[in-house]
Amino acid sequence: MVNYSLLQEQIREMIQTDPWYVPAMSNISALLMETLPDLNWVGFYVWRNGRLVVGPFQGKPACIHIPEGKGVCGTALKEDRTLNVPDVHAFPGHIACDSASRSELVIPLHADGKAVAVLDMDSPTLSRFTTADEAALKKATEIMENLLNWDGI
Ligand code: SME
């Protein structure tokens, strides 16, 4: 059982130490990989020059660019909503960066009300992410949205 209130507090403290999105996303992706069981990739894509670009992450090397509306990440950003995909093979246009991935959770992050990045989490297990995981991780992204400095994005 993940202690999500501790995780949220750790995220808050990391960002308060340095709010720039690069160190914050780096340590938050490492923290999520350490804390949540059964993940094979966790990290961020940021919106830059009209497409998503891979940001800090943990896992195998990943696709560098994702166009808006493509894959789970590009769709979550375009439609500005969380996508909890129980079976990535059943998601039209899923981009297979790591062939081990079976389920995926993507949550958009906002700056000034606009979606400017996504948190992407992949699992080798079907239906890995519960609605409780989704709600707690959404809270974590809200902490990020409130505290991050997006300089240079
Ligand atoms: N599967 C994602 C691409 C990113 S990787 O999972 C790291 C997608 O379909 O958008």
Side-chain angles (χ1 to χ4, degrees), residues 40-43 45 52 54 57 60-63 66 70-75 88 91-98 101 104 106 118 120-122:
N40 58 298
W41 200 94
V42 53
Y45 279 84
L52 283 170
V54 73
F57 70 93
K60 290 188 177 172
C63 329
I66 299 179
K70 299 292 180 197
V72 185
C73 292
T75 304
V88 295
F91 187 93
H94 167 252
I95 300 165
C97 289
D98 182 343
S101 299
E104 182 161 358
V106 179
V118 297
D120 180 18
M121 308 182 77
D122 288 22

Side-chain angles (χ1 to χ4, degrees), residues 7-98:
L7 180 82
Q8 287 156 5
E9 196 44 46
Q10 289 168 316
I11 287 174
R12 192 186 308 279
E13 283 180 15
M14 281 174 172
I15 303 174
Q16 281 167 347
T17 302
D18 191 328
W20 191 36
Y21 75 98
V22 174
M25 286 180 174
S26 301
N27 265 333
I28 291 166
S29 55
L31 179 66
L32 291 171
M33 189 59 114
E34 280 288 308
T35 307
L36 275 78
D38 205 20
L39 302 179
N40 58 298
W41 200 94
V42 53
F44 296 89
Y45 279 84
V46 297
W47 183 252
R48 186 172 163 81
N49 298 330
R51 59 194 175 183
L52 283 170
V53 183
V54 73
F57 70 93
Q58 297 273 306
K60 290 188 177 172
C63 329
I64 297 171
H65 297 136
I66 299 179
E68 186 181 34
K70 299 292 180 197
V72 185
C73 292
T75 304
L77 186 103
K78 184 175 184 189
E79 297 181 1
D80 194 2
R81 65 190 179 98
T82 296
L83 288 178
N84 188 348
V85 179
D87 179 358
V88 295
H89 293 160
F91 187 93
H94 167 252
I95 300 165
C97 289
D98 182 343

